[in-house]
Amino acid sequence: LDMEPQLPGEDEVSCAKRLLKRVMINYPRAFDLILADGLYTRAPFFKFALKHGKHVIAVLKDERRDLLNDAQGLFKKEESVTYTFGQSELRCQDLEDFSSWSQLGRDVRVVQSVETKYCRRQDTGKLHFETSEWVWVGTISKEKLPTQEFVKLAHGRWKIENNGFNELINYWHADHVYRHSPKAIEAFWLLGTVAK
């Protein structure tokens, strides 16, 4: 839909906010929810999205955060709900009304998913269990987005990213950005969008 160069001395969140502001003006009803990495779990970014009528789901992983510590304490006392997603078993906990993120100035929802997957090791061919844990913070209610759909969407961010890179490598034979100057990258992007 659009692109925005990251300016010298700024991080990608500042760049993303400029891009999103323009996209929300040009395509105001194209989406209702922003999926984001843990880097975006910042009060100014969440406030920006909410001000524009958009919800946010972002990875919550910084151990120093009061919000994460409070949620983990409450998750120990709550029962989990189990779902199957692909070949994984997910034990999920979903709590609303967290006010521990004082910089945001509003309550949020925290969802945890402990996921177990039966895998075959490449090196030995033996089957084993792999367990991973994910925690997200979101502004959208359970009523609008039930737990199972929340987790699917949150994981969907990786699918988009992985499929995008996979398509670039397998169909466009991209290996690496050949030139790293901003104008060269912009030119490659423009050529790619015209070629489609």
Side-chain angles (χ1 to χ4, degrees):
L1 294 175
D2 204 338
M3 69 174 286
E4 178 68 30
Q6 186 173 333
L7 302 176
E10 74 176 357
D11 67 2
E12 71 179 68
V13 177
S14 300
C15 176
K17 283 171 70 174
R18 281 196 312 277
L19 174 66
L20 281 168
K21 185 181 274 188
R22 198 170 51 250
V23 168
M24 288 187 279
I25 289 169
N26 294 330
Y27 307 97
R29 296 187 344 216
F31 61 95
D32 296 315
L33 177 72
I34 299 169
L35 298 174
D37 187 274
L39 181 63
Y40 292 80
T41 308
R42 301 177 184 178
F45 182 78
F46 271 59
K47 287 178 181 180
F48 166 80
L50 291 165
K51 178 182 170 191
H52 288 87
K54 308 299 179 189
H55 287 287
V56 182
I57 294 175
V59 175
L60 180 60
K61 59 184 174 187
D62 188 344
E63 293 295 333
R64 296 167 297 165
R65 290 185 177 275
D66 291 339
L67 177 61
L68 181 58
N69 293 328
D70 289 349
Q72 287 174 332
L74 288 173
F75 287 147
K76 291 176 185 174
K77 300 174 185 176
E78 294 289 319
E79 295 233 3
S80 59
V81 179
T82 304
Y83 302 105
T84 301
F85 182 57
Q87 294 186 350
S88 298
E89 180 182 277
L90 286 59
R91 286 182 294 114
C92 301
Q93 294 177 300
D94 186 348
L95 299 172
E96 293 182 298
D97 304 323
F98 277 96
S99 59
S100 310
W101 194 1
S102 58
Q103 299 89 342
L104 184 59
R106 67 159 279 174
D107 290 355
V108 290
R109 174 182 179 187
V110 180
V111 177
Q112 173 182 265
S113 180
V114 177
E115 305 174 4
T116 306
K117 184 174 164 181
Y118 205 44
C119 302
R120 185 175 301 279
R121 288 196 173 278
Q122 274 188 318
D123 57 346
T124 65
K126 292 184 180 181
L127 293 172
H128 73 286
F129 285 105
E130 266 182 26
T131 301
S132 59
E133 180 181 341
W134 290 88
V135 182
W136 299 277
V137 57
T139 59
I140 192 165
S141 69
K142 285 184 191 181
E143 183 181 358
K144 289 184 179 178
L145 188 64
T147 307
Q148 188 171 9
E149 299 307 313
F150 183 109
V151 173
K152 281 182 187 176
L153 264 176
H155 278 306
R157 184 180 69 81
W158 285 108
K159 185 175 181 183
I160 293 165
E161 204 166 296
N162 290 340
N163 286 355
F165 288 124
N166 187 34
E167 181 179 324
L168 283 170
I169 291 165
N170 291 313
Y171 299 108
W172 295 96
H173 307 289
D175 181 19
H176 187 72
V177 176
Y178 306 104
R179 301 281 300 171
H180 289 97
S181 74
K183 292 294 179 197
I185 293 169
E186 187 175 348
F188 288 135
W189 181 79
L190 289 169
L191 284 171
T193 57
V194 171
K196 285 186 176 183

PDB file of all heavy atoms in Angstrom, residues 74-104:
ATOM      1  N   LEU A  74      -0.979 -13.440  38.139  1.00  0.00           N
ATOM      2  CA  LEU A  74      -2.392 -13.838  38.070  1.00  0.00           C
ATOM      3  C   LEU A  74      -2.585 -15.112  37.253  1.00  0.00           C
ATOM      4  O   LEU A  74      -3.474 -15.914  37.558  1.00  0.00           O
ATOM      5  CB  LEU A  74      -3.230 -12.702  37.498  1.00  0.00           C
ATOM      6  CG  LEU A  74      -3.417 -11.509  38.427  1.00  0.00           C
ATOM      7  CD1 LEU A  74      -4.120 -10.367  37.706  1.00  0.00           C
ATOM      8  CD2 LEU A  74      -4.216 -11.910  39.664  1.00  0.00           C
ATOM      9  N   PHE A  75      -1.781 -15.316  36.225  1.00  0.00           N
ATOM     10  CA  PHE A  75      -1.917 -16.523  35.412  1.00  0.00           C
ATOM     11  C   PHE A  75      -1.683 -17.784  36.251  1.00  0.00           C
ATOM     12  O   PHE A  75      -2.280 -18.817  35.982  1.00  0.00           O
ATOM     13  CB  PHE A  75      -0.938 -16.509  34.236  1.00  0.00           C
ATOM     14  CG  PHE A  75      -1.303 -15.559  33.133  1.00  0.00           C
ATOM     15  CD1 PHE A  75      -0.312 -14.931  32.400  1.00  0.00           C
ATOM     16  CD2 PHE A  75      -2.626 -15.288  32.814  1.00  0.00           C
ATOM     17  CE1 PHE A  75      -0.632 -14.054  31.370  1.00  0.00           C
ATOM     18  CE2 PHE A  75      -2.960 -14.413  31.800  1.00  0.00           C
ATOM     19  CZ  PHE A  75      -1.962 -13.794  31.077  1.00  0.00           C
ATOM     20  N   LYS A  76      -0.853 -17.696  37.275  1.00  0.00           N
ATOM     21  CA  LYS A  76      -0.580 -18.857  38.140  1.00  0.00           C
ATOM     22  C   LYS A  76      -1.836 -19.289  38.893  1.00  0.00           C
ATOM     23  O   LYS A  76      -1.967 -20.448  39.281  1.00  0.00           O
ATOM     24  CB  LYS A  76       0.529 -18.520  39.134  1.00  0.00           C
ATOM     25  CG  LYS A  76       1.883 -18.364  38.490  1.00  0.00           C
ATOM     26  CD  LYS A  76       2.923 -17.933  39.508  1.00  0.00           C
ATOM     27  CE  LYS A  76       4.247 -17.653  38.816  1.00  0.00           C
ATOM     28  NZ  LYS A  76       5.238 -17.096  39.725  1.00  0.00           N
ATOM     29  N   LYS A  77      -2.755 -18.346  39.095  1.00  0.00           N
ATOM     30  CA  LYS A  77      -3.964 -18.631  39.869  1.00  0.00           C
ATOM     31  C   LYS A  77      -5.168 -18.977  38.996  1.00  0.00           C
ATOM     32  O   LYS A  77      -6.190 -19.402  39.491  1.00  0.00           O
ATOM     33  CB  LYS A  77      -4.309 -17.413  40.734  1.00  0.00           C
ATOM     34  CG  LYS A  77      -3.230 -17.046  41.717  1.00  0.00           C
ATOM     35  CD  LYS A  77      -3.560 -15.758  42.434  1.00  0.00           C
ATOM     36  CE  LYS A  77      -2.399 -15.352  43.321  1.00  0.00           C
ATOM     37  NZ  LYS A  77      -2.618 -14.075  43.977  1.00  0.00           N
ATOM     38  N   GLU A  78      -5.050 -18.750  37.695  1.00  0.00           N
ATOM     39  CA  GLU A  78      -6.173 -18.940  36.780  1.00  0.00           C
ATOM     40  C   GLU A  78      -6.081 -20.272  36.037  1.00  0.00           C
ATOM     41  O   GLU A  78      -4.993 -20.758  35.759  1.00  0.00           O
ATOM     42  CB  GLU A  78      -6.193 -17.817  35.731  1.00  0.00           C
ATOM     43  CG  GLU A  78      -6.471 -16.450  36.283  1.00  0.00           C
ATOM     44  CD  GLU A  78      -7.901 -16.268  36.752  1.00  0.00           C
ATOM     45  OE1 GLU A  78      -8.828 -16.750  36.062  1.00  0.00           O
ATOM     46  OE2 GLU A  78      -8.096 -15.658  37.815  1.00  0.00           O
ATOM     47  N   GLU A  79      -7.222 -20.819  35.706  1.00  0.00           N
ATOM     48  CA  GLU A  79      -7.263 -22.033  34.877  1.00  0.00           C
ATOM     49  C   GLU A  79      -7.025 -21.649  33.429  1.00  0.00           C
ATOM     50  O   GLU A  79      -7.418 -20.574  32.989  1.00  0.00           O
ATOM     51  CB  GLU A  79      -8.636 -22.698  35.013  1.00  0.00           C
ATOM     52  CG  GLU A  79      -8.906 -23.200  36.401  1.00  0.00           C
ATOM     53  CD  GLU A  79      -9.318 -24.650  36.416  1.00  0.00           C
ATOM     54  OE1 GLU A  79      -9.342 -25.289  35.351  1.00  0.00           O
ATOM     55  OE2 GLU A  79      -9.618 -25.136  37.505  1.00  0.00           O
ATOM     56  N   SER A  80      -6.396 -22.542  32.695  1.00  0.00           N
ATOM     57  CA  SER A  80      -6.159 -22.271  31.280  1.00  0.00           C
ATOM     58  C   SER A  80      -7.200 -23.001  30.435  1.00  0.00           C
ATOM     59  O   SER A  80      -7.832 -23.949  30.880  1.00  0.00           O
ATOM     60  CB  SER A  80      -4.744 -22.698  30.879  1.00  0.00           C
ATOM     61  OG  SER A  80      -4.558 -24.063  31.128  1.00  0.00           O
ATOM     62  N   VAL A  81      -7.355 -22.541  29.210  1.00  0.00           N
ATOM     63  CA  VAL A  81      -8.236 -23.165  28.239  1.00  0.00           C
ATOM     64  C   VAL A  81      -7.326 -23.760  27.163  1.00  0.00           C
ATOM     65  O   VAL A  81      -6.366 -23.127  26.744  1.00  0.00           O
ATOM     66  CB  VAL A  81      -9.197 -22.124  27.615  1.00  0.00           C
ATOM     67  CG1 VAL A  81     -10.096 -22.758  26.574  1.00  0.00           C
ATOM     68  CG2 VAL A  81     -10.017 -21.445  28.700  1.00  0.00           C
ATOM     69  N   THR A  82      -7.627 -24.980  26.718  1.00  0.00           N
ATOM     70  CA  THR A  82      -6.769 -25.667  25.762  1.00  0.00           C
ATOM     71  C   THR A  82      -7.394 -25.660  24.375  1.00  0.00           C
ATOM     72  O   THR A  82      -8.588 -25.921  24.221  1.00  0.00           O
ATOM     73  CB  THR A  82      -6.501 -27.112  26.217  1.00  0.00           C
ATOM     74  OG1 THR A  82      -5.942 -27.068  27.531  1.00  0.00           O
ATOM     75  CG2 THR A  82      -5.543 -27.823  25.287  1.00  0.00           C
ATOM     76  N   TYR A  83      -6.571 -25.353  23.392  1.00  0.00           N
ATOM     77  CA  TYR A  83      -6.979 -25.358  21.990  1.00  0.00           C
ATOM     78  C   TYR A  83      -5.951 -26.148  21.183  1.00  0.00           C
ATOM     79  O   TYR A  83      -4.802 -26.282  21.594  1.00  0.00           O
ATOM     80  CB  TYR A  83      -7.006 -23.931  21.409  1.00  0.00           C
ATOM     81  CG  TYR A  83      -7.909 -22.977  22.117  1.00  0.00           C
ATOM     82  CD1 TYR A  83      -7.390 -21.993  22.957  1.00  0.00           C
ATOM     83  CD2 TYR A  83      -9.284 -23.028  21.932  1.00  0.00           C
ATOM     84  CE1 TYR A  83      -8.223 -21.092  23.593  1.00  0.00           C
ATOM     85  CE2 TYR A  83     -10.120 -22.130  22.570  1.00  0.00           C
ATOM     86  CZ  TYR A  83      -9.575 -21.166  23.404  1.00  0.00           C
ATOM     87  OH  TYR A  83     -10.404 -20.283  24.036  1.00  0.00           O
ATOM     88  N   THR A  84      -6.360 -26.590  20.009  1.00  0.00           N
ATOM     89  CA  THR A  84      -5.424 -27.178  19.061  1.00  0.00           C
ATOM     90  C   THR A  84      -5.293 -26.199  17.908  1.00  0.00           C
ATOM     91  O   THR A  84      -6.284 -25.705  17.377  1.00  0.00           O
ATOM     92  CB  THR A  84      -5.942 -28.540  18.543  1.00  0.00           C
ATOM     93  OG1 THR A  84      -6.111 -29.403  19.671  1.00  0.00           O
ATOM     94  CG2 THR A  84      -4.955 -29.163  17.581  1.00  0.00           C
ATOM     95  N   PHE A  85      -4.052 -25.923  17.544  1.00  0.00           N
ATOM     96  CA  PHE A  85      -3.770 -24.992  16.454  1.00  0.00           C
ATOM     97  C   PHE A  85      -2.693 -25.635  15.598  1.00  0.00           C
ATOM     98  O   PHE A  85      -1.546 -25.737  16.017  1.00  0.00           O
ATOM     99  CB  PHE A  85      -3.324 -23.646  17.027  1.00  0.00           C
ATOM    100  CG  PHE A  85      -3.054 -22.576  16.016  1.00  0.00           C
ATOM    101  CD1 PHE A  85      -4.038 -22.184  15.117  1.00  0.00           C
ATOM    102  CD2 PHE A  85      -1.825 -21.950  15.955  1.00  0.00           C
ATOM    103  CE1 PHE A  85      -3.798 -21.185  14.193  1.00  0.00           C
ATOM    104  CE2 PHE A  85      -1.568 -20.950  15.033  1.00  0.00           C
ATOM    105  CZ  PHE A  85      -2.567 -20.575  14.145  1.00  0.00           C
ATOM    106  N   GLY A  86      -3.084 -26.112  14.407  1.00  0.00           N
ATOM    107  CA  GLY A  86      -2.139 -26.853  13.574  1.00  0.00           C
ATOM    108  C   GLY A  86      -1.742 -28.120  14.301  1.00  0.00           C
ATOM    109  O   GLY A  86      -2.592 -28.895  14.731  1.00  0.00           O
ATOM    110  N   GLN A  87      -0.440 -28.319  14.511  1.00  0.00           N
ATOM    111  CA  GLN A  87       0.041 -29.489  15.239  1.00  0.00           C
ATOM    112  C   GLN A  87       0.431 -29.153  16.672  1.00  0.00           C
ATOM    113  O   GLN A  87       1.087 -29.940  17.338  1.00  0.00           O
ATOM    114  CB  GLN A  87       1.235 -30.101  14.496  1.00  0.00           C
ATOM    115  CG  GLN A  87       0.851 -30.666  13.153  1.00  0.00           C
ATOM    116  CD  GLN A  87       2.011 -31.388  12.493  1.00  0.00           C
ATOM    117  OE1 GLN A  87       3.145 -31.315  12.935  1.00  0.00           O
ATOM    118  NE2 GLN A  87       1.710 -32.089  11.428  1.00  0.00           N
ATOM    119  N   SER A  88       0.002 -28.002  17.138  1.00  0.00           N
ATOM    120  CA  SER A  88       0.347 -27.566  18.490  1.00  0.00           C
ATOM    121  C   SER A  88      -0.861 -27.613  19.407  1.00  0.00           C
ATOM    122  O   SER A  88      -1.994 -27.387  18.985  1.00  0.00           O
ATOM    123  CB  SER A  88       0.878 -26.128  18.467  1.00  0.00           C
ATOM    124  OG  SER A  88       2.046 -26.039  17.703  1.00  0.00           O
ATOM    125  N   GLU A  89      -0.586 -27.926  20.675  1.00  0.00           N
ATOM    126  CA  GLU A  89      -1.603 -27.812  21.712  1.00  0.00           C
ATOM    127  C   GLU A  89      -1.308 -26.527  22.473  1.00  0.00           C
ATOM    128  O   GLU A  89      -0.181 -26.314  22.923  1.00  0.00           O
ATOM    129  CB  GLU A  89      -1.553 -28.999  22.664  1.00  0.00           C
ATOM    130  CG  GLU A  89      -2.607 -28.890  23.751  1.00  0.00           C
ATOM    131  CD  GLU A  89      -2.541 -30.031  24.743  1.00  0.00           C
ATOM    132  OE1 GLU A  89      -3.093 -31.096  24.449  1.00  0.00           O
ATOM    133  OE2 GLU A  89      -1.927 -29.818  25.808  1.00  0.00           O
ATOM    134  N   LEU A  90      -2.298 -25.653  22.577  1.00  0.00           N
ATOM    135  CA  LEU A  90      -2.133 -24.355  23.220  1.00  0.00           C
ATOM    136  C   LEU A  90      -2.915 -24.320  24.520  1.00  0.00           C
ATOM    137  O   LEU A  90      -4.111 -24.627  24.538  1.00  0.00           O
ATOM    138  CB  LEU A  90      -2.656 -23.237  22.317  1.00  0.00           C
ATOM    139  CG  LEU A  90      -1.851 -22.816  21.104  1.00  0.00           C
ATOM    140  CD1 LEU A  90      -1.633 -23.947  20.133  1.00  0.00           C
ATOM    141  CD2 LEU A  90      -2.510 -21.669  20.410  1.00  0.00           C
ATOM    142  N   ARG A  91      -2.236 -23.984  25.610  1.00  0.00           N
ATOM    143  CA  ARG A  91      -2.902 -23.736  26.889  1.00  0.00           C
ATOM    144  C   ARG A  91      -2.904 -22.226  27.079  1.00  0.00           C
ATOM    145  O   ARG A  91      -1.862 -21.610  27.278  1.00  0.00           O
ATOM    146  CB  ARG A  91      -2.172 -24.423  28.041  1.00  0.00           C
ATOM    147  CG  ARG A  91      -2.373 -25.926  28.064  1.00  0.00           C
ATOM    148  CD  ARG A  91      -1.689 -26.615  29.244  1.00  0.00           C
ATOM    149  NE  ARG A  91      -0.235 -26.499  29.139  1.00  0.00           N
ATOM    150  CZ  ARG A  91       0.531 -25.819  29.983  1.00  0.00           C
ATOM    151  NH1 ARG A  91       0.009 -25.178  31.010  1.00  0.00           N
ATOM    152  NH2 ARG A  91       1.839 -25.742  29.812  1.00  0.00           N
ATOM    153  N   CYS A  92      -4.081 -21.628  26.978  1.00  0.00           N
ATOM    154  CA  CYS A  92      -4.188 -20.171  26.957  1.00  0.00           C
ATOM    155  C   CYS A  92      -4.861 -19.624  28.208  1.00  0.00           C
ATOM    156  O   CYS A  92      -5.775 -20.237  28.754  1.00  0.00           O
ATOM    157  CB  CYS A  92      -4.990 -19.719  25.740  1.00  0.00           C
ATOM    158  SG  CYS A  92      -4.261 -20.241  24.177  1.00  0.00           S
ATOM    159  N   GLN A  93      -4.387 -18.453  28.594  1.00  0.00           N
ATOM    160  CA  GLN A  93      -5.017 -17.687  29.654  1.00  0.00           C
ATOM    161  C   GLN A  93      -5.208 -16.270  29.132  1.00  0.00           C
ATOM    162  O   GLN A  93      -4.331 -15.734  28.452  1.00  0.00           O
ATOM    163  CB  GLN A  93      -4.151 -17.698  30.906  1.00  0.00           C
ATOM    164  CG  GLN A  93      -4.071 -19.106  31.496  1.00  0.00           C
ATOM    165  CD  GLN A  93      -3.159 -19.151  32.684  1.00  0.00           C
ATOM    166  OE1 GLN A  93      -1.985 -18.836  32.572  1.00  0.00           O
ATOM    167  NE2 GLN A  93      -3.694 -19.553  33.823  1.00  0.00           N
ATOM    168  N   ASP A  94      -6.350 -15.706  29.438  1.00  0.00           N
ATOM    169  CA  ASP A  94      -6.741 -14.436  28.844  1.00  0.00           C
ATOM    170  C   ASP A  94      -7.413 -13.585  29.916  1.00  0.00           C
ATOM    171  O   ASP A  94      -8.504 -13.908  30.376  1.00  0.00           O
ATOM    172  CB  ASP A  94      -7.699 -14.740  27.686  1.00  0.00           C
ATOM    173  CG  ASP A  94      -8.070 -13.515  26.875  1.00  0.00           C
ATOM    174  OD1 ASP A  94      -7.787 -12.384  27.302  1.00  0.00           O
ATOM    175  OD2 ASP A  94      -8.673 -13.706  25.800  1.00  0.00           O
ATOM    176  N   LEU A  95      -6.743 -12.520  30.322  1.00  0.00           N
ATOM    177  CA  LEU A  95      -7.276 -11.663  31.374  1.00  0.00           C
ATOM    178  C   LEU A  95      -7.402 -10.228  30.887  1.00  0.00           C
ATOM    179  O   LEU A  95      -6.505  -9.702  30.236  1.00  0.00           O
ATOM    180  CB  LEU A  95      -6.365 -11.708  32.608  1.00  0.00           C
ATOM    181  CG  LEU A  95      -6.209 -13.089  33.260  1.00  0.00           C
ATOM    182  CD1 LEU A  95      -5.146 -13.034  34.347  1.00  0.00           C
ATOM    183  CD2 LEU A  95      -7.541 -13.559  33.837  1.00  0.00           C
ATOM    184  N   GLU A  96      -8.522  -9.621  31.231  1.00  0.00           N
ATOM    185  CA  GLU A  96      -8.778  -8.229  30.857  1.00  0.00           C
ATOM    186  C   GLU A  96      -8.626  -7.320  32.074  1.00  0.00           C
ATOM    187  O   GLU A  96      -8.421  -7.784  33.183  1.00  0.00           O
ATOM    188  CB  GLU A  96     -10.196  -8.094  30.283  1.00  0.00           C
ATOM    189  CG  GLU A  96     -10.371  -8.807  28.961  1.00  0.00           C
ATOM    190  CD  GLU A  96     -11.761  -8.624  28.379  1.00  0.00           C
ATOM    191  OE1 GLU A  96     -12.738  -9.064  29.028  1.00  0.00           O
ATOM    192  OE2 GLU A  96     -11.855  -8.045  27.294  1.00  0.00           O
ATOM    193  N   ASP A  97      -8.763  -6.033  31.824  1.00  0.00           N
ATOM    194  CA  ASP A  97      -8.817  -5.004  32.868  1.00  0.00           C
ATOM    195  C   ASP A  97      -7.515  -4.820  33.647  1.00  0.00           C
ATOM    196  O   ASP A  97      -7.546  -4.539  34.849  1.00  0.00           O
ATOM    197  CB  ASP A  97      -9.980  -5.279  33.841  1.00  0.00           C
ATOM    198  CG  ASP A  97     -11.312  -5.378  33.124  1.00  0.00           C
ATOM    199  OD1 ASP A  97     -11.511  -4.611  32.162  1.00  0.00           O
ATOM    200  OD2 ASP A  97     -12.135  -6.228  33.504  1.00  0.00           O
ATOM    201  N   PHE A  98      -6.382  -4.970  32.978  1.00  0.00           N
ATOM    202  CA  PHE A  98      -5.108  -4.676  33.628  1.00  0.00           C
ATOM    203  C   PHE A  98      -4.867  -3.168  33.600  1.00  0.00           C
ATOM    204  O   PHE A  98      -4.887  -2.556  32.542  1.00  0.00           O
ATOM    205  CB  PHE A  98      -3.950  -5.368  32.902  1.00  0.00           C
ATOM    206  CG  PHE A  98      -3.770  -6.797  33.298  1.00  0.00           C
ATOM    207  CD1 PHE A  98      -4.337  -7.807  32.548  1.00  0.00           C
ATOM    208  CD2 PHE A  98      -3.021  -7.128  34.418  1.00  0.00           C
ATOM    209  CE1 PHE A  98      -4.176  -9.129  32.909  1.00  0.00           C
ATOM    210  CE2 PHE A  98      -2.852  -8.450  34.784  1.00  0.00           C
ATOM    211  CZ  PHE A  98      -3.431  -9.449  34.023  1.00  0.00           C
ATOM    212  N   SER A  99      -4.601  -2.615  34.765  1.00  0.00           N
ATOM    213  CA  SER A  99      -4.329  -1.173  34.846  1.00  0.00           C
ATOM    214  C   SER A  99      -2.869  -0.905  35.218  1.00  0.00           C
ATOM    215  O   SER A  99      -2.505   0.218  35.536  1.00  0.00           O
ATOM    216  CB  SER A  99      -5.267  -0.521  35.861  1.00  0.00           C
ATOM    217  OG  SER A  99      -5.086  -1.124  37.127  1.00  0.00           O
ATOM    218  N   SER A 100      -2.034  -1.933  35.165  1.00  0.00           N
ATOM    219  CA  SER A 100      -0.629  -1.815  35.581  1.00  0.00           C
ATOM    220  C   SER A 100       0.217  -0.979  34.629  1.00  0.00           C
ATOM    221  O   SER A 100       1.323  -0.590  34.974  1.00  0.00           O
ATOM    222  CB  SER A 100       0.026  -3.194  35.665  1.00  0.00           C
ATOM    223  OG  SER A 100      -0.754  -4.072  36.399  1.00  0.00           O
ATOM    224  N   TRP A 101      -0.265  -0.762  33.418  1.00  0.00           N
ATOM    225  CA  TRP A 101       0.495   0.022  32.451  1.00  0.00           C
ATOM    226  C   TRP A 101       0.080   1.480  32.607  1.00  0.00           C
ATOM    227  O   TRP A 101      -0.691   2.024  31.831  1.00  0.00           O
ATOM    228  CB  TRP A 101       0.224  -0.499  31.056  1.00  0.00           C
ATOM    229  CG  TRP A 101       1.172  -0.015  30.011  1.00  0.00           C
ATOM    230  CD1 TRP A 101       2.243   0.818  30.176  1.00  0.00           C
ATOM    231  CD2 TRP A 101       1.124  -0.319  28.623  1.00  0.00           C
ATOM    232  NE1 TRP A 101       2.870   1.034  28.986  1.00  0.00           N
ATOM    233  CE2 TRP A 101       2.195   0.340  28.014  1.00  0.00           C
ATOM    234  CE3 TRP A 101       0.277  -1.087  27.839  1.00  0.00           C
ATOM    235  CZ2 TRP A 101       2.447   0.256  26.641  1.00  0.00           C
ATOM    236  CZ3 TRP A 101       0.522  -1.182  26.480  1.00  0.00           C
ATOM    237  CH2 TRP A 101       1.606  -0.513  25.895  1.00  0.00           C
ATOM    238  N   SER A 102       0.609   2.109  33.628  1.00  0.00           N
ATOM    239  CA  SER A 102       0.166   3.455  34.001  1.00  0.00           C
ATOM    240  C   SER A 102       0.445   4.487  32.902  1.00  0.00           C
ATOM    241  O   SER A 102      -0.303   5.453  32.754  1.00  0.00           O
ATOM    242  CB  SER A 102       0.826   3.884  35.313  1.00  0.00           C
ATOM    243  OG  SER A 102       2.236   3.851  35.180  1.00  0.00           O
ATOM    244  N   GLN A 103       1.507   4.300  32.107  1.00  0.00           N
ATOM    245  CA  GLN A 103       1.827   5.258  31.046  1.00  0.00           C
ATOM    246  C   GLN A 103       0.751   5.298  29.961  1.00  0.00           C
ATOM    247  O   GLN A 103       0.589   6.306  29.286  1.00  0.00           O
ATOM    248  CB  GLN A 103       3.175   4.917  30.384  1.00  0.00           C
ATOM    249  CG  GLN A 103       4.352   4.945  31.313  1.00  0.00           C
ATOM    250  CD  GLN A 103       4.585   3.581  31.972  1.00  0.00           C
ATOM    251  OE1 GLN A 103       3.722   2.711  32.012  1.00  0.00           O
ATOM    252  NE2 GLN A 103       5.779   3.413  32.507  1.00  0.00           N
ATOM    253  N   LEU A 104       0.026   4.204  29.789  1.00  0.00           N
ATOM    254  CA  LEU A 104      -1.020   4.163  28.759  1.00  0.00           C
ATOM    255  C   LEU A 104      -2.284   4.876  29.226  1.00  0.00           C
ATOM    256  O   LEU A 104      -2.982   5.492  28.428  1.00  0.00           O
ATOM    257  CB  LEU A 104      -1.330   2.720  28.349  1.00  0.00           C
ATOM    258  CG  LEU A 104      -2.322   2.547  27.217  1.00  0.00           C
ATOM    259  CD1 LEU A 104      -1.847   3.242  25.936  1.00  0.00           C
ATOM    260  CD2 LEU A 104      -2.568   1.062  26.941  1.00  0.00           C
TER     261      LEU A 104
END
